[in-house]
Amino acid sequence: MAFCSYFQAKITKRDTWFFVATLRFNEHLAFDRTFDKAEGIFEFFVPTDNEEAFLLFMKQHEKTGLVSNIIQLPNRLLDPTETV
C-alpha cells in the first residue's frame, strides 16, 4: 500500500482563500488542510505521481510571496501516536 508524500507550508493569511481556490482548481493535485491556523501553516498530502506538479505549483506561488517555508516531512499519519 502506497502513502502520499507529506508537505507543510506557510500561506499568507490574507490570501488563503485565493491559494485554496487555485489549488482545488488543479483537481487531484493534493489534499490540503490547515495544520496551524494561528501561524497559517497548511499540510498537504500529495500522491507520489503528482509530486513534481505540486512542487511546481508551490514554487510558482512562492515567487509571488503567497507561499513560504515549503518542507517535505515524513507522513505524520503513519505515526501511531499522532492524532488527526
Side-chain angles (χ1 to χ4, degrees):
M1 175 182 227
F3 289 90
C4 290
S5 299
Y6 179 80
F7 293 85
Q8 287 185 358
K10 183 174 178 106
I11 310 300
T12 305
K13 287 185 186 182
R14 64 178 161 73
D15 295 320
T16 298
W17 64 272
F18 176 76
F19 173 80
V20 171
T22 56
L23 178 64
R24 293 188 181 161
F25 179 77
N26 294 279
E27 291 186 43
H28 310 295
L29 184 60
F31 172 78
D32 68 294
R33 67 184 194 177
T34 307
F35 180 75
D36 182 340
K37 183 178 179 182
E39 294 296 320
I41 306 295
F42 274 65
E43 63 182 356
F44 305 93
F45 297 89
V46 182
T48 53
D49 291 345
N50 293 354
E51 197 170 312
E52 186 177 331
F54 171 78
L55 289 172
L56 178 61
F57 174 87
M58 295 298 279
K59 294 293 182 187
Q60 289 171 338
H61 287 314
E62 188 175 44
K63 288 178 186 175
T64 67
L66 188 65
V67 173
S68 61
N69 302 334
I70 305 163
I71 56 172
Q72 184 172 12
L73 300 167
N75 189 328
R76 70 184 191 88
L77 298 183
L78 296 176
D79 182 351
T81 64
E82 189 69 46
T83 59
V84 179

